Amino acid sequence: MTLYIDPPTWPGHGRMWSHLVSDVSYDELHRFAETLGMPRRAFDSDHYDLPSHRYADAVAAGAVEVSSREVVRLLTASGLRRPKGRQPRRT
């Protein structure tokens, strides 16, 4: 199981955020997020939004650090990319 995380460079709600993704399946992503104690409401279409203070926890649990551009490339290549507005936001 390999999960990927980009740097916490996305602002929102007074915090900086990362995106946690899988290039295999949403089930794999949900299982990994569950091990981190992340609520399902943090899932946004094809990724989990992870606050910057949890970044090190995800990396320590095995998430591979990649660029934001690589996150999009991985999702697209795997067929898991769900652009906003085209698919249901939550699964």
Side-chain angles (χ1 to χ4, degrees), residues 23-76:
D23 64 347
V24 173
S25 72
Y26 297 121
D27 288 337
E28 175 185 59
L29 179 59
H30 293 313
R31 283 192 305 271
F32 187 84
E34 188 175 296
T35 68
L36 294 175
M38 296 185 65
R40 185 61 72 100
R41 70 180 177 274
F43 182 68
D44 187 13
S45 299
D46 55 11
H47 67 276
Y48 274 84
D49 291 321
L50 188 78
S52 60
H53 69 275
R54 299 296 314 273
Y55 183 85
D57 296 336
V59 173
V64 175
E65 299 169 277
V66 297
S67 69
S68 297
R69 183 169 286 177
E70 184 68 2
V71 161
V72 173
R73 190 195 71 71
L74 288 162
L75 284 173
T76 302

